[in-house]
């Protein structure tokens, strides 16, 4: 689509457009003839519709008593201001035209002058519009539009304002004055009231009513003597009277009992009028004269009313300095096919301009709108041809000789090479290839084709096309293009391409050799230089351009750490190319002189440039764990969480005898899950201590911590079940050398625990209080679950006389496997899909002596709803006796002592690394809550703790049914899910989509639902869902659309509130978005069709096709319906105008939506962390940016190295590449308490001593769960004290986070 014209208008053009200006009656395309220039016109296509059908062509008449006109033959100075008031003698609307020369400076030279013979006005976009003007204390329904202009002359800069207002007399008031039936009814009613006095009086004609009212007003403005109008005045009663009271009061008449007092204007006021009353009455008198002029001639003659309206055009020309402008001879404008060709309007000129003024208008347009110079030149050429003007043709030729090219020339050039103009689908390669094919097929036409190619190159601003057109090779890129080579091609193959060129045409030899020389110089290739000198190729080294291309790097300004990241991704994707990729990285390191890249090549790590004590440590990648490293870095910077982990024993959940139900994420938590979670926190604690004290720039997370972080308990259970069903599952022991399979006896398990540390993956059976065997690997086993009843038949188990476990055959094993596979695990809550409502939450504090009971400290757990059933369970010491021996124990088979299987742990880590981002985060939060004591529980039994208070907020949804009943639901949320599937958007637009009203299915009904935030968490997490599914291709893909981040976001607009004004704003915004979606859908229909063309292009092509078919045989043309082509062209024009109107409306709606909540700024949240991913939906690399509020810098945490970000555009701006780095997860923190929430650097280095490194070992703590035990001796690391300000003295005892 052609760019809009941004030029101006000369005074004659402005006045001509003003005569058609009606802001209340714009054409369907929304075009404003006064404010805008028409779209670019193309010969052969219908002109743009500038005026709606039925629009009044104004006949302006000056209101002399309201105008301040310049003195004849006077010239304005820097203090001059003129204004002219006028009214239309046809539609009665009012105009005020002002021109202000003030402020242009004493050295100014106002137009017109010798250099600038006419003002050239540019429209100013700050358009003022108002409704409901207040006059005389009454509000009336009137419209008013104001347009602003400024002269483009640097020596003038006069400002013009054109204000158009609706008539003073409303349509119903006009009916009172001119509608014969209304007048008749009013007069007959008056006669009926007093038939004696009014008998015989004729019904007045409209002209009598109008002239009487005109006389009353004229008399009031002529004398200060006030004479009341008697209420029984016959003429008054018959013509006006009380039925016209609204009109009369508006005009200033006032009623005193039955009599009326006329208006009281300021008759002594100097002219031009400034008082509201005088202006009102003067306007109404002019409108009455207009209504009188519309009456039948015989009535006007009988009433002796002669209205003479003199055109205001001469006064307007005098005000705007165009009186007597130079005009052309009329005969020179008759060759154009239309009364006024669109080219005139495009130049801001009129058809009667002299050639000199046409040239002046062209020069002004090109000076203020350089983007559209080609079109303005086409306008000049078209007018020159139409007028057959030598002066204009000479001007056009001079412009062309200076290098300017017109749209006409562009169109001709594209046609020469067989293309349509414009063609958005064309690539430079297609155009160049077509040119080369044409010159090969028709060498005699090469000059014409090359000139056309040059013009196309200028139009597309294509260096490649211009270079081919010039037939010279001056750059490295040109050399590659000439040889049909790419940067990836080795030097050895370039010589072969050279020979191909010479074989095609021996005359190419020197040009091809020049190309090789340029490539050799650019690549610094000694091999190619040797070939040029001796004809023999030397040793080939990897060129740096080839090296970048080998790594898939387009931007050579990329930071060193990003180059390393790209290298790692490439090696992971193609391990067989490792040597080649390493050579490429080495070439880049050498060309950049990069110490960082050289260090990485030498030892696989990047040396830190910062003092270790002042800089965070990196985390080594232990195998596809880049996302894990980013997540751990983020959690480490959250002060309250870091201190909770470092001082975990203060908050640790008891795993001994427990009385009470522990519920996290809307489900019961098993003892096994608590023990697993506590192993996770001990591992996290060890890592955090190492991150604080390590005397190195990187530390390495342990495989076990990675497994516990990435693999949830439900996934771990699935892996265990798969191992049970596998034909190659691990053996549990042997009898006489034969492997056996089956559970261990609990007592032997305990003995093994006392002997040595066991594998963290080991699963052992336990017994419940009744002696029944339970598989501890089952999440719902009686030993593991705190509130669930046993899920096996205890009585049946007790009836097994021999107590042995049966061996099962293959069929039974398969059936057992199906049962195990169908058994459902209860996973940890996913962040935003919480099933458990938290409505009307009332927390109950727990006593310090019992960390797991409700505040009643009762033995009986209150009945709570859970799923589709309600349970209550009496907890007694007998119930939870986990060590009682079974009544019928099985025989104890021999068993080898288990050994830690590092390979199995690594396999689980690899499986965990494939988990969804949300699953990993949910798993971490779930384990954190499982591991610690509750501070309180809500009415649904959900645990309230430090983690929930830190990361979880509450969302409230409102659903309205068909009867208008509103249902609400409140639930916990730990993040807000947003997406960018539909295109680029900013973070506000993405958040809006999560809370906007939407249609949801409820049963068989579809009901509107919207959400709010009833409680904000201090740490606000936003998940960007980039994984999308293509229903046509049946594949997943990653959406790489840009998400524009904000440094600060204000959450006021999303909060739950009873404020009616806020709800009204939301509803208005929802309506705007619905309108915007409808407009976008309509635009898509018009611009994106199955043919790949827009509707206007299809219709235009159809016209072209019809015309070509009709003229295939000139001697026997095909007869066509005469209106077919015209109808299709009209439809194409209407479609184009509709698209333009849609774009303008969409722009307005987008602006309204973005500014709707700009005044709500009481809940600021600052951007703290941005998780980034580069790659595809199932592969790629993660890193994280974290902001240091204390030092006011951003850092990039990319596995083992942490670097400072110098240019924040790396974070905030979209990367222009096929696989851009995109935000996946955002973290905002509450601004007012950010100092207590996050701390990017926490370092207290402890240097290594001669004692060496001691491995971390597992210990069996007093509660029976395996936990990490810190090294003893000189290397023992104590828990680091909390930094000042993160916890206060009171909260250190209770474990509560201090916000």
């Amino acid at each position: 689509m052609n760019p809009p014209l941004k030029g101006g208008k000369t005074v004659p053009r402005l006045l001509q457009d003003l005569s058609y200006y009606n802001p209340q009656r714009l054409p369907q395309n929304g075009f404003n003839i006064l404010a805008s220039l028409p779209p670019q016109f193309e010969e052969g296509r219908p002109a743009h519709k500038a005026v709606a059908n039925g629009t009044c062509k104004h006949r302006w008449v000056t209101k002399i008593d309201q105008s301040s006109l310049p003195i004849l033959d006077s010239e304005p100075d820097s203090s001059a201001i003129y204004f002219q008031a006028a009214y239309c003698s046809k539609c009665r609307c009012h105009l005020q035209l002002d021109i202000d020369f003030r402020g242009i400076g004493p050295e100014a030279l106002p137009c017109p002058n010798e250099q600038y013979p006419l003002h050239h006005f540019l429209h100013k976009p700050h358009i003022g519009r108002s409704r409901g003007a207040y006059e005389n204390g009454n509000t009336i329904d009137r419209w008013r539009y104001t347009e602003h202009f400024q002269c483009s002359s640097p020596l003038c800069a006069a400002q013009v304002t054109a204000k158009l207002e609706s008539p003073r007399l409303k349509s119903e008031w006009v009916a009172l004055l001119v509608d014969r039936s209304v007048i008749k009814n009013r007069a007959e009613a008056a006669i009926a009231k007093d038939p004696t006095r009014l008998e015989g009086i004729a019904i007045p004609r409209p002209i009598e009513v109008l002239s009487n009212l005109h006389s009353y007003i004229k008399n009031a403005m002529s004398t200060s003597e006030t004479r009341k109008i008697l209420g029984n005045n016959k003429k008054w009663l018959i013509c006006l009277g009380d039925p016209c009271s609204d009109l009369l009061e508006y005009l200033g008449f006032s009623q005193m009992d039955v009599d009326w007092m006329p208006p009281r204007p300021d008759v002594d006021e100097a002219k031009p009028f400034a008082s509201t009353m005088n202006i009102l009455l003067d306007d109404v008198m002019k409108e009455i004269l207009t209504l009188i002029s519309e009456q039948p001639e015989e009535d006007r003659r009988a009433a002796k009313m002669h209205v003479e309206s003199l055109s205001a055009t001469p006064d307007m020309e005098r005000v705007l300095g165009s009186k007597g402008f130079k005009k052309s001879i009329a005969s020179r404008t008759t060759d154009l096919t239309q009364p006024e060709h669109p080219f005139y309007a495009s130049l801001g000129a009129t058809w009667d301009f002299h050639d000199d003024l046409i040239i002046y208008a062209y020069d002004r347009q090109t000076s203020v709108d350089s983007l559209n110079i080609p079109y303005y030149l086409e306008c000049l050429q078209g007018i020159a041809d139409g007028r057959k003007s030598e002066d204009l043709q000479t001007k056009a030729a001079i412009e062309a000789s200076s290098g300017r090219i017109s749209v006409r020339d562009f169109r001709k050039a594209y046609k020469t090479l067989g293309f349509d103009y414009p063609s958005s689908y064309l690539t430079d390669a297609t155009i160049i290839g077509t040119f080369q094919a044409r010159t090969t097929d028709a060498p005699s036409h090469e000059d014409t084709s090359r000139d056309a190619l040059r013009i196309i190159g200028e139009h597309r601003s294509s260096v490649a096309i211009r270079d081919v057109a010039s037939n010279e090779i001056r750059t490295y890129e040109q050399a590659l293009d000439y040889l049909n080579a790419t940067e990836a091609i080795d030097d050895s193959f370039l010589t072969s391409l050279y020979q191909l060129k010479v074989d095609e045409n021996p005359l190419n030899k020197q040009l091809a050799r020049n190309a090789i020389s340029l490539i050799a110089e650019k690549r610094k290739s000694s091999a190619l230089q040797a070939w040029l000198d001796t004809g023999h190729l030397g040793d080939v080294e990897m060129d740096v351009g080839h090296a970048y291309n080998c790594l898939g790097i387009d931007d050579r300004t990329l930071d060193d750490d990003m180059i390393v990241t790209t290298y790692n991704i490439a090696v992971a994707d193609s391990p067989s190319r490792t040597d080649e990729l390493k050579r490429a990285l080495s070439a880049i390191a050498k060309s950049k002189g990069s110490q960082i890249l050289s260090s990485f090549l030498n030892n696989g790590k990047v040396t830190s440039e910062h003092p270790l004590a002042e800089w965070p440590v990196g985390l080594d990648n232990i195998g596809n764990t880049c996302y894990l490293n980013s997540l751990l870095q983020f959690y480490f910077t959250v002060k309250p969480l870091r201190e909770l982990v470092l001082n975990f024993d203060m908050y640790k959940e008891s795993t001994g005898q427990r009385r009470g139900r522990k519920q996290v994420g809307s489900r019961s938590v098993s003892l096994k899950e608590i023990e697993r979670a506590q192993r996770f926190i001990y591992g996290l604690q060890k890592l955090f201590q190492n991150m604080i004290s390590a005397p190195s720039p990187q530390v390495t997370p342990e495989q076990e911590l990675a497994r516990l972080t990435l693999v949830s308990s439900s996934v771990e259970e699935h892996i265990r079940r798969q191992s049970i069903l596998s034909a190659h599952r691990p053996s549990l022991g042997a009898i006489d050398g034969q492997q056996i399979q089956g559970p261990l006896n609990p007592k032997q398990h305990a003995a093994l625990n006392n002997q040595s540390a066991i594998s963290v993956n080991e699963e052992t059976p336990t017994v419940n209080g009744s002696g029944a065997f339970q598989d501890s690997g089952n999440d719902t086993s009686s030993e593991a679950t705190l509130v669930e009843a046993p899920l096996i038949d205890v009585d049946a188990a007790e009836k097994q006389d021999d107590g042995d476990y049966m061996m099962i055959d293959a069929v039974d094993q398969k059936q057992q496997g199906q049962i195990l596979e169908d058994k459902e695990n209860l996973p940890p809550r996913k962040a935003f899909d919480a099933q458990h409502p938290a409505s009307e939450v009332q927390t109950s504090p727990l006593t310090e002596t019992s960390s797991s009971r409700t505040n009643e400290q009762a033995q009986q757990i209150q009945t709570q709803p859970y799923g589709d059933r309600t349970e209550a369970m009496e907890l007694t010491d007998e119930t939870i006796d986990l060590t009682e021996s079974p009544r019928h124990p099985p025989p104890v088979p021999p068993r080898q002592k288990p050994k830690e299987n590092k390979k199995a742990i690594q396999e689980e880590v690899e499986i965990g690394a494939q988990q969804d981002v949300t699953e990993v985060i949910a798993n971490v939060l779930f384990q954190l809550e499982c591991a610690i004591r509750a501070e309180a529980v809500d009415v649904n039994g959900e645990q309230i703790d430090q983690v929930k208070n830190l990361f979880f907020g509450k969302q409230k949804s409102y659903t309205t049914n068909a009867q208008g009943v509103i249902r609400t639901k409140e639930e916990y949320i730990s993040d807000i899910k947003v997406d960018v599937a539909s295109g680029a958007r900013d973070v506000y637009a993405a958040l809006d989509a999560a809370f906007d009203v939407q249609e949801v299915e409820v049963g068989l009904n579809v009901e509107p639902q919207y959400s709010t935030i009833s409680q904000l968490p201090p740490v606000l997490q936003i998940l960007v869902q980039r994984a999308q599914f293509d229903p046509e291709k049946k594949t997943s893909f990653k959406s790489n659309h840009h998400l524009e981040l904000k440094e600060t976001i204000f959450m006021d607009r999303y909060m739950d509130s009873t404020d009616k004004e806020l709800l009204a704003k939301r509803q208005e915004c929802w309506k705007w978005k619905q309108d915007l979606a409808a407009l976008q859908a309509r635009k898509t229909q018009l611009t994106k069709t199955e043919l790949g063309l827009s509707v206007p292009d299809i219709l235009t092509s159809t016209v072209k096709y019809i015309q070509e078919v009709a003229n295939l045989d000139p001697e026997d043309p095909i007869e066509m319906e005469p209106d077919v082509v015209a109808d299709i062209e009209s439809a194409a024009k209407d479609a184009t105008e509709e698209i333009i109107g849609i774009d303008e409306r969409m722009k307005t709606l987008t602006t309204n939506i973005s500014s709707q909540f700009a005044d709500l700024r009481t809940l600021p949240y600052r951007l703290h962390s941005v998780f980034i991913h580069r790659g595809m939906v199932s592969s790629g690399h993660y890193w994280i940016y974290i902001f240091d509020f204390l030092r006011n810098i951003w850092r990039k945490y990319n596995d083992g190295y942490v670097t400072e970000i110098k240019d924040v555009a790396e974070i905030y701006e979209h990367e222009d590449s096929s696989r851009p780095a995109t935000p996946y997860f955002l973290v905002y923190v509450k601004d007012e308490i950010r100092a207590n929430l996050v701390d990017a650097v926490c370092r207290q280095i402890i240097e290594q001593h001669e004692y060496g490194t001691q491995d971390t070992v597992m210990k069996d703590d007093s509660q029976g769960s395996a936990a990490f035990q810190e090294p003893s001796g000189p290397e023992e690391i104590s828990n680091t004290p909390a930094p000042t300000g993160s916890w206060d003295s009171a909260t250190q005892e209770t474990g509560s986070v201090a916000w």
Side-chain angles (χ1 to χ4, degrees), residues 933-945:
R933 296 191 305 271
E935 291 183 321
V937 294
D938 64 20
V939 294
N940 296 299
E942 179 73 10
Q943 172 171 309
I944 307 298
D945 51 48

PDB file of all heavy atoms in Angstrom, residues 933-945:
ATOM      1  N   ARG A 933       6.885 -26.223  57.949  1.00  0.00           N
ATOM      2  CA  ARG A 933       5.682 -26.199  58.773  1.00  0.00           C
ATOM      3  C   ARG A 933       4.713 -25.151  58.259  1.00  0.00           C
ATOM      4  O   ARG A 933       5.104 -24.148  57.666  1.00  0.00           O
ATOM      5  CB  ARG A 933       6.035 -25.853  60.222  1.00  0.00           C
ATOM      6  CG  ARG A 933       6.907 -26.867  60.926  1.00  0.00           C
ATOM      7  CD  ARG A 933       6.965 -26.556  62.414  1.00  0.00           C
ATOM      8  NE  ARG A 933       7.407 -25.201  62.685  1.00  0.00           N
ATOM      9  CZ  ARG A 933       8.661 -24.849  62.844  1.00  0.00           C
ATOM     10  NH1 ARG A 933       9.617 -25.762  62.725  1.00  0.00           N
ATOM     11  NH2 ARG A 933       8.981 -23.599  63.097  1.00  0.00           N
ATOM     12  N   ALA A 934       3.461 -25.381  58.565  1.00  0.00           N
ATOM     13  CA  ALA A 934       2.440 -24.387  58.254  1.00  0.00           C
ATOM     14  C   ALA A 934       2.431 -23.300  59.316  1.00  0.00           C
ATOM     15  O   ALA A 934       2.647 -23.566  60.493  1.00  0.00           O
ATOM     16  CB  ALA A 934       1.067 -25.041  58.147  1.00  0.00           C
ATOM     17  N   GLU A 935       2.197 -22.078  58.900  1.00  0.00           N
ATOM     18  CA  GLU A 935       1.935 -21.003  59.852  1.00  0.00           C
ATOM     19  C   GLU A 935       0.471 -21.000  60.267  1.00  0.00           C
ATOM     20  O   GLU A 935       0.113 -20.573  61.354  1.00  0.00           O
ATOM     21  CB  GLU A 935       2.287 -19.653  59.222  1.00  0.00           C
ATOM     22  CG  GLU A 935       3.765 -19.449  58.994  1.00  0.00           C
ATOM     23  CD  GLU A 935       4.056 -18.058  58.440  1.00  0.00           C
ATOM     24  OE1 GLU A 935       3.268 -17.578  57.608  1.00  0.00           O
ATOM     25  OE2 GLU A 935       5.046 -17.455  58.862  1.00  0.00           O
ATOM     26  N   ALA A 936      -0.371 -21.434  59.345  1.00  0.00           N
ATOM     27  CA  ALA A 936      -1.808 -21.487  59.596  1.00  0.00           C
ATOM     28  C   ALA A 936      -2.415 -22.346  58.507  1.00  0.00           C
ATOM     29  O   ALA A 936      -1.733 -22.803  57.587  1.00  0.00           O
ATOM     30  CB  ALA A 936      -2.414 -20.068  59.556  1.00  0.00           C
ATOM     31  N   VAL A 937      -3.697 -22.639  58.635  1.00  0.00           N
ATOM     32  CA  VAL A 937      -4.447 -23.312  57.582  1.00  0.00           C
ATOM     33  C   VAL A 937      -5.716 -22.532  57.334  1.00  0.00           C
ATOM     34  O   VAL A 937      -6.232 -21.861  58.232  1.00  0.00           O
ATOM     35  CB  VAL A 937      -4.795 -24.779  57.946  1.00  0.00           C
ATOM     36  CG1 VAL A 937      -3.554 -25.627  58.056  1.00  0.00           C
ATOM     37  CG2 VAL A 937      -5.597 -24.837  59.234  1.00  0.00           C
ATOM     38  N   ASP A 938      -6.207 -22.582  56.091  1.00  0.00           N
ATOM     39  CA  ASP A 938      -7.457 -21.887  55.816  1.00  0.00           C
ATOM     40  C   ASP A 938      -8.637 -22.820  56.091  1.00  0.00           C
ATOM     41  O   ASP A 938      -8.462 -23.962  56.529  1.00  0.00           O
ATOM     42  CB  ASP A 938      -7.469 -21.347  54.388  1.00  0.00           C
ATOM     43  CG  ASP A 938      -7.420 -22.438  53.329  1.00  0.00           C
ATOM     44  OD1 ASP A 938      -7.749 -23.596  53.636  1.00  0.00           O
ATOM     45  OD2 ASP A 938      -7.051 -22.128  52.180  1.00  0.00           O
ATOM     46  N   VAL A 939      -9.829 -22.340  55.828  1.00  0.00           N
ATOM     47  CA  VAL A 939     -11.025 -23.110  56.176  1.00  0.00           C
ATOM     48  C   VAL A 939     -11.125 -24.394  55.368  1.00  0.00           C
ATOM     49  O   VAL A 939     -11.863 -25.312  55.750  1.00  0.00           O
ATOM     50  CB  VAL A 939     -12.296 -22.258  55.960  1.00  0.00           C
ATOM     51  CG1 VAL A 939     -12.334 -21.087  56.914  1.00  0.00           C
ATOM     52  CG2 VAL A 939     -12.387 -21.783  54.522  1.00  0.00           C
ATOM     53  N   ASN A 940     -10.415 -24.487  54.270  1.00  0.00           N
ATOM     54  CA  ASN A 940     -10.428 -25.695  53.450  1.00  0.00           C
ATOM     55  C   ASN A 940      -9.273 -26.623  53.796  1.00  0.00           C
ATOM     56  O   ASN A 940      -9.075 -27.626  53.120  1.00  0.00           O
ATOM     57  CB  ASN A 940     -10.363 -25.328  51.976  1.00  0.00           C
ATOM     58  CG  ASN A 940     -11.577 -24.561  51.527  1.00  0.00           C
ATOM     59  OD1 ASN A 940     -12.692 -25.068  51.600  1.00  0.00           O
ATOM     60  ND2 ASN A 940     -11.385 -23.338  51.091  1.00  0.00           N
ATOM     61  N   GLY A 941      -8.508 -26.274  54.800  1.00  0.00           N
ATOM     62  CA  GLY A 941      -7.396 -27.110  55.210  1.00  0.00           C
ATOM     63  C   GLY A 941      -6.106 -26.836  54.475  1.00  0.00           C
ATOM     64  O   GLY A 941      -5.108 -27.505  54.703  1.00  0.00           O
ATOM     65  N   GLU A 942      -6.088 -25.854  53.560  1.00  0.00           N
ATOM     66  CA  GLU A 942      -4.885 -25.538  52.791  1.00  0.00           C
ATOM     67  C   GLU A 942      -3.840 -24.882  53.688  1.00  0.00           C
ATOM     68  O   GLU A 942      -4.144 -23.998  54.492  1.00  0.00           O
ATOM     69  CB  GLU A 942      -5.242 -24.610  51.633  1.00  0.00           C
ATOM     70  CG  GLU A 942      -4.060 -24.194  50.769  1.00  0.00           C
ATOM     71  CD  GLU A 942      -3.552 -25.316  49.882  1.00  0.00           C
ATOM     72  OE1 GLU A 942      -4.243 -26.369  49.805  1.00  0.00           O
ATOM     73  OE2 GLU A 942      -2.494 -25.151  49.266  1.00  0.00           O
ATOM     74  N   GLN A 943      -2.609 -25.326  53.548  1.00  0.00           N
ATOM     75  CA  GLN A 943      -1.510 -24.805  54.362  1.00  0.00           C
ATOM     76  C   GLN A 943      -1.171 -23.375  53.963  1.00  0.00           C
ATOM     77  O   GLN A 943      -1.041 -23.058  52.789  1.00  0.00           O
ATOM     78  CB  GLN A 943      -0.283 -25.703  54.200  1.00  0.00           C
ATOM     79  CG  GLN A 943       0.980 -25.149  54.848  1.00  0.00           C
ATOM     80  CD  GLN A 943       2.109 -26.152  54.862  1.00  0.00           C
ATOM     81  OE1 GLN A 943       1.921 -27.281  55.298  1.00  0.00           O
ATOM     82  NE2 GLN A 943       3.281 -25.741  54.399  1.00  0.00           N
ATOM     83  N   ILE A 944      -1.032 -22.509  54.959  1.00  0.00           N
ATOM     84  CA  ILE A 944      -0.546 -21.141  54.758  1.00  0.00           C
ATOM     85  C   ILE A 944       0.861 -21.072  55.347  1.00  0.00           C
ATOM     86  O   ILE A 944       1.077 -21.422  56.503  1.00  0.00           O
ATOM     87  CB  ILE A 944      -1.461 -20.108  55.447  1.00  0.00           C
ATOM     88  CG1 ILE A 944      -2.912 -20.308  55.022  1.00  0.00           C
ATOM     89  CG2 ILE A 944      -0.993 -18.697  55.126  1.00  0.00           C
ATOM     90  CD1 ILE A 944      -3.158 -20.125  53.551  1.00  0.00           C
ATOM     91  N   ASP A 945       1.826 -20.637  54.546  1.00  0.00           N
ATOM     92  CA  ASP A 945       3.212 -20.636  54.996  1.00  0.00           C
ATOM     93  C   ASP A 945       3.966 -19.491  54.320  1.00  0.00           C
ATOM     94  O   ASP A 945       3.386 -18.697  53.581  1.00  0.00           O
ATOM     95  CB  ASP A 945       3.876 -21.980  54.690  1.00  0.00           C
ATOM     96  CG  ASP A 945       3.694 -22.395  53.232  1.00  0.00           C
ATOM     97  OD1 ASP A 945       3.939 -21.554  52.346  1.00  0.00           O
ATOM     98  OD2 ASP A 945       3.286 -23.542  52.973  1.00  0.00           O
TER      99      ASP A 945
END
